[in-house]
Amino acid sequence: MSDRVTVRARVNGVEYERSVEPRLLLSDFLRQDLGLTGTHVGCEHGVCGACTVLVEGEPVRSCLMFAVQADGARLTTAEGLTPGNGAPLHPLQAAFRDAHALQCGFCTPGILMSMAALLDAPSPLSDEDIRATLAGHLCRCTGYANIVRAVRKAHGQLHR
Amino acid sequence: MASYIGERVRRNEDARLLTGRALFVDDVQLPGMAHVAFLRSDHAHGRLRGVDVEDARRYPGVIAVFTAADLGDFWQPGPLLVPPPPVPGLEFHARTQVPLARDKVRHVGEPIAMVVAESRYVAEDALALIAVDVEPLGAVGDLEAALLPDAPKVHDELASNLAARVRQQKGDYDRARADADLVVSRRFVYDRGASAAIENRAVAAAWDPKSEELTIWDTTQAPIPIRNGLARLLGLLESQVNVIAPFVGGGFGPKIMMFYPEEVLVPWAARRLGRPLKWTEDRHENFGATTQERSQVHDAEIALTREGRILGVRDVFLHDNGAYNAYGLTVPINSQCTLLGMYRVPNYESEFKAVFTTRTQVTPVRGAGRQHGVFVMERLLDLAARELGIDRLELRRRNLLSPDEFPHNHEIIFQDFAPLTYDSGDYLPAFDEAAALIGYDRFYREEQPRLRAEGRRVGLGIVGYVEGTGIGPYEGARVTVEPSGLVRVATGVGTQGQGHFTAFAQLVADALGVDVEQVRVVTGDTREFHWGTGTFASRGAVVAGTACRSAALAVRDKVVALAARLLDAAPETIELEGGRARGRGRDDASLSLGELAARANPLRGAVTPGMEPGLEATAYFGPDRGNTANGVHAMIVEVDPETADVKILRYVVVHDCGRLINPLIVEGQIQGGVAHGIGNAFYEQLHYNEDGQLLNASLMDYLLPVATDVPDVEMAHRETPSPFNPSGLKGVGEAGCIATGALFAQAVEDALGHAVEIRGIPLSPDRLFHLMREARA
Amino acid sequence: MKVTGTFLFRGPREAVWDLLQDPAVLAKAMPGAERLERTEGDRFEGSMKVSLGPVTAARFTLVVELADKAAPERFAMRIDSQGPLGFTRGKALVELTPVDEGTMMSYSSDLQIGGRIAAVGQRVIDMAARMMTEKGLESLQKELDARLAGGSRA
Amino acid sequence: MKPAPFVYFRPASLDEALAHLAEVEGAKVLAGGQSLVPAMNFRIAQPAALVDINRVAGLSSIEARADGGLRIGGLVRHRALETSAEVARHAPLVAEAMPLVAHPPIRTRGTLGGSLAHADPAAELPAVMLALDATFTAVNRMRARTIAAADFFLGLYATALEPDEILTDIAIPPLPRGAGWAIDEFARRHGDYALAGAAAILVTDDRGTCTAARIGLMSAHDRPVLAAQAAARLVGHRLSPEALADAADTAAAVDADPSGDIHASADYRRHLVGVMVRRVLARAAARASGARP
């Protein structure tokens, strides 16, 4: 077995330090080593997008990064969009609920993270822009239309 | 009193899902948990001569390795889940999947050995150390070749690869054919797809030696049958086995299959090794190990009069079972029955042969074979319309069943063993509404000619279908008002995104006069409810929903009786609203449901004779036959004649699923179903080669439609309530995907000026390119 | 998967024939073959390590058996290779015809490929087969050149 | 789908990275990892060691050169190319290509050097670099050398890069006056590898005569290739629709040598190459005529 390496990362504002194998995927690190199971794994080859998280504010596939590569980084997962249990939903999450933009909810955390990054910019956002970014995520339940509605709505609220 | 039924109520379950707090099976982590990986067959068909696991056993971090030989008496084929229906003359040979291959492997992905290790990473390392000796045998894929005398046999002890032969008929097709002015016959092919839930399957299991209980977390759509079966297999009481299907990341059918090998092996090994175990299917495994959609080849014909009246239909088809047929004949019988659609077909003759192949097992996947029947019938009508010179919409109108023909008995047997009987429907207005929404007349009068003149190839499709839904046997529910005022609902079905936590809550909230967010629904946990079957066949809302409503009404009676006694009022004057009970016209005196619950379970004194403690009731609903939802889909497409790409410009659905509980959820189901259908029709195909190898076992090459491929569906609802249940519900889960293949074929042909004839699904640009080129030649 | 084609060897047919019966040479002609040894008669065993772009270090056992030999005209070759990533199994027919410029070899192989390579490599598998065949034939020509040059020196 | 074990190195300097590559048997460079890690998860790639160059300094800048060209570090992310004002100004073809490259989370990590070294025949950036006549700098412990894009792609996933070399710089020459550019592709879904595609630069003189043409093809061959014959038919001619169609036919019939797969048979792919080249040439020609004074 290969030597272990130490990973220190700030995830959703909390500092973590763990000793891991270099081959450990970031997705498994978040889910198993940190217990942050809100990030989901659907394909482990970078296509489905369920495992998307923010690293330094940018969306990445956590199944295509080794945990050791996130050493020293600032990460955000679906759990980090709201401050804690019982806190009101982030406007993007609330818009997803209002628009019925999720069904089984498995792909949702990854989509939320990509869309959160997309919403960071105050520039106008067309449905085509939303769909082009959403095309990096597979959802088998919703048929996407309500997700587009939700993101449009959240964009309107965040950049009024 | 305000009613939640029919309201666009936001879902109760969403907050948990959106914040990452919802529990899925792969999220289960227990102290000391070990991880499982399976060695699977690379061969489609072969004799298993030996499996050497010694090196794997010695690999550091490996806890155990099991082969079929290690299972002893526990090795046995899975149960036949659905025996064949009582159709006279039916031939059926059951062969069900085995936990680990012992003598033969019969499809790529069939499990051969099970490795338990300290991590999944280590378990996969060990898989590479297992040596398997396989004597290759011929693959069986082509359905016609499979039935030839010299075909390699998937199951050696059977006479051939024939798994079943079923013939159903009504009337006398041969006579109808003799009387017909026109007979159109063609061969139609519909190829395989994957269900492709974004969550792969997973099973976690823990044996507690102190309580002697086995707890299993399973991505199943049917936790109670899993519990019952495992208890029997393991020689345990049902009360010793808890099966929990927590949040499940999409079902679409294959998660109802049981028992998957992993589903029996993981609990067995957890008990044997005394350690909690977890297996999570990876995407590559999913493409071989999770059951798949169906391929069929139909030789069909339709006989009509000159005026376009259908005299009869004959359909002879082959159905690909895959290597096993635990799900019996459900899928081909769905095809056989759904073919008749919305139409008056006086004479029908249908015969199918189900065939064993060396491919992954086929079980129901969203639509479950219905789309094949619709494809065949709608294609026949399109072809007939052209030959008769009748507008294809008009041809359909002339043959629709009229409202006075319901209930309509088609005189053949449906998958639920009951005669295929439509409960209610009103099809003509549905067609007219869809035609109006898509602008059928204007499209042909103005748009298509104008765009054609610009060199653009646009076409329109319009297709109707019925969907048998809401079948038995039964579901149950228990409703409890707790002293906190919260209402608890427990039911046996599992949930995979259909919004049961909300739809059931709406039914119960209405019955008890409480806020819908005060109703907490628990599904998929055998500790909560003992009896039930599962979520399949678009039946959750109809069957379990009706049980929830019945239980809630029984609780309501208890609430009313108790409130009447405590408020000293006549029971018929008690009103329930806003979570309180009060006598009519007596606003001063009321009791909250919470207070009533506390009073119904006193710590001192007595419960009045004839009463039960608590505000709780359990009810069951077992419909003796299913419902018939229906819909009409219409679509406008544009074909790029250079690339052969197809772009959907508009998509309209007029849908009738009886009474709507929650339009928000229903519309979501339809939009999602349409996306699934678009995948089936134009993107998704499992490409097996002649050696039985699946060539696209990844999401890189198996193309699920993405956001830029799926239009925003325009919808209209019609409601013809079902007379078979008190709320008039039908069912909606599969509706969206049933019509899409037929719709694509019709619209694309229209766009290309009928230069090509489409007889196969899925289409693809490559396929269309070749059709167009052949047409030019 | 079927791979068929022709290749013009610059050299006489007998020399090409001899070349193709030599396991050491065959090993060089199969891209990635690490070794190939005669175990009995016309049966050769060895191993190969396939490396192609992202595919690295995939090790396979390799058994090659020559059959239906009609020297110096044609022979058949059975190939059986297995490893953790899957298997390749099949048969190739080789025919040698003398032509003015040397020897025309026509080959046709029918290979079954199973396992992960088949399941996830479909986009490039035809290209890979073509490329590996070309590479192999070119290295055979090089070997032939060397032999013929050596022969003339001798 | 978990990767096999490997030895991990995370050098901070290029020298250190090159030393690991030279000394460690079976070591591979880990840049963006967006092609390598999926292959490792499938275990079809099992490198003995990874040299993670993500923290190597000096490989991540985009610099405009005095002559109007660009110098781009091998570790520059796709996302940086997509958003860079310098790239938009000096290499608009690259800017136009970026939204076609996979999806935003892939572009966050993916690097230019990684895409070129991976040399996927269906990928956009190799075809773009061929069209732009870019030059690559490859460095090992002993020396640095430059390789023209046209000499870099040798076969299926095969490049002129040696196992001990790292692609450190990509030099893009300035766009000549009167140049037009365009890229287009046909993919099954947004972000997928193209079934066929083309990227082109057309240069015209003041009279509208084509003085130079470079057309990079995607999914047309076992490697990223230039449609040299097609380009040759344009040079010296006015860019009439007939001339463009003729060049497109030549690209499909002569320059392309596609293989088939489940998504596109070889003949369909060849046809698509012609369609894409014609579309791209038409747009590039329109831009070229707009760029003329």
Side-chain angles (χ1 to χ4, degrees), chain B residues 325-559:
Chain B
N325 59 353
Y327 229 94
L329 299 172
T330 300
V331 174
I333 285 190
N334 270 340
S335 306
Q336 186 168 58
C337 289
T338 309
L339 182 141
L340 295 166
M342 297 175 149
Y343 309 108
R344 199 178 298 107
V345 182
N347 300 287
Y348 181 43
E349 192 178 304
S350 170
E351 176 175 338
F352 69 80
K353 290 175 185 157
V355 181
F356 287 117
T357 61
T358 52
R359 296 179 177 181
T360 297
Q361 183 168 205
V362 165
T363 67
V365 176
R366 199 174 201 171
R370 295 178 180 90
Q371 46 272 76
H372 302 57
V374 170
F375 184 71
V376 170
M377 184 66 168
E378 296 292 319
R379 290 275 65 202
L380 288 172
L381 287 171
D382 291 340
L383 293 162
R386 283 185 62 74
E387 297 225 11
L388 291 168
I390 300 175
D391 173 77
R392 60 191 191 280
L393 182 54
E394 177 56 26
L395 179 69
R396 287 170 168 82
R397 284 191 181 116
R398 288 180 194 178
N399 288 287
L400 294 174
L401 289 166
S402 57
D404 57 4
E405 292 174 87
F406 294 91
H408 187 83
N409 185 343
H410 276 295
E411 303 169 42
I412 58 175
I413 302 290
F414 189 44
Q415 56 139 315
D416 62 351
F417 295 16
L420 177 66
T421 305
Y422 294 178
D423 52 354
S424 62
D426 194 359
Y427 301 149
L428 184 60
F431 254 105
D432 288 345
E433 186 170 1
L437 279 171
I438 200 82
Y440 189 87
D441 295 332
R442 198 166 53 85
F443 179 80
Y444 286 110
R445 208 174 48 238
E446 297 168 21
E447 286 170 37
Q448 197 184 45
R450 177 170 55 79
L451 292 167
R452 279 239 170 101
E454 295 171 15
R456 293 174 60 185
R457 310 281 202 284
V458 291
L460 184 150
I462 185 161
V463 158
Y465 64 92
V466 301
E467 182 201 357
T469 62
I471 60 170
Y474 76 94
E475 288 301 337
R478 185 181 64 248
V479 173
T480 312
V481 178
E482 298 196 356
S484 61
L486 293 173
V487 179
R488 185 173 172 74
V489 180
T491 172
V493 299
T495 189
Q496 307 88 38
Q498 298 91 338
H500 292 150
F501 297 94
T502 311
F504 297 166
Q506 286 175 256
L507 291 162
V508 170
D510 268 4
L512 293 176
V514 299
D515 189 287
V516 71
E517 293 191 12
Q518 298 292 101
V519 181
R520 305 293 163 84
V521 178
V522 183
T523 68
D525 187 339
T526 61
R527 296 171 301 186
E528 297 283 345
F529 202 81
H530 190 78
W531 300 97
T533 51
T535 303
F536 55 92
S538 303
R539 67 190 288 277
V542 182
V543 187
T546 301
C548 288
R549 181 176 175 276
S550 302
L553 288 173
V555 172
R556 181 189 175 93
D557 289 346
K558 292 187 178 181
V559 170

Side-chain angles (χ1 to χ4, degrees), chain B residues 45-100:
Chain B
H45 194 194
R47 213 163 294 288
L48 200 52
R49 287 187 297 216
V51 186
D52 181 353
V53 300
E54 286 316 308
D55 288 350
R57 281 194 174 126
R58 280 194 294 269
Y59 188 74
V62 169
I63 296 160
V65 182
F66 300 109
T67 66
D70 301 312
L71 300 184
D73 290 345
F74 192 69
W75 190 97
Q76 50 183 287
L80 176 65
L81 288 174
V82 185
V87 175
L90 172 146
E91 182 180 350
F92 180 70
H93 308 283
R95 287 295 180 277
T96 58
Q97 69 287 344
V98 301
L100 292 170

Side-chain angles (χ1 to χ4, degrees), chain B residues 120-121 124-125 282 640 642-643 645 682-683 687 696 699 701 703-704 708-709 765-766 769-770 773, chain D residues 1-5 41-43 186 188-190 192 262-265 267-268 271-272 275-276 278-279:
Chain B
R120 174 71 180 229
Y121 290 72
E124 290 192 19
D125 293 345
D282 67 34
D640 180 335
E642 291 187 329
T643 61
D645 198 16
F682 196 61
Y683 293 93
H687 288 268
N696 55 338
L699 291 178
D701 283 324
L703 308 179
L704 292 173
T708 40
D709 305 321
D766 182 63
F769 167 78
H770 285 102
R773 201 170 58 175
Chain D
M1 287 187 53
K2 309 294 183 191
N41 290 356
F42 276 113
R43 294 202 179 209
F186 179 61
R188 284 304 318 267
R189 302 172 303 182
H190 183 83
D192 280 357
I262 59 169
H263 304 305
S265 50
D267 55 345
Y268 175 51
H271 164 83
L272 283 176
V275 174
M276 290 299 125
R278 195 173 42 70
R279 288 182 183 181

Side-chain angles (χ1 to χ4, degrees), chain D residues 60-72:
Chain D
S60 300
S61 62
I62 302 174
E63 293 159 23
R65 296 189 314 194
D67 64 358
L70 278 181
R71 181 161 216 98
I72 304 175

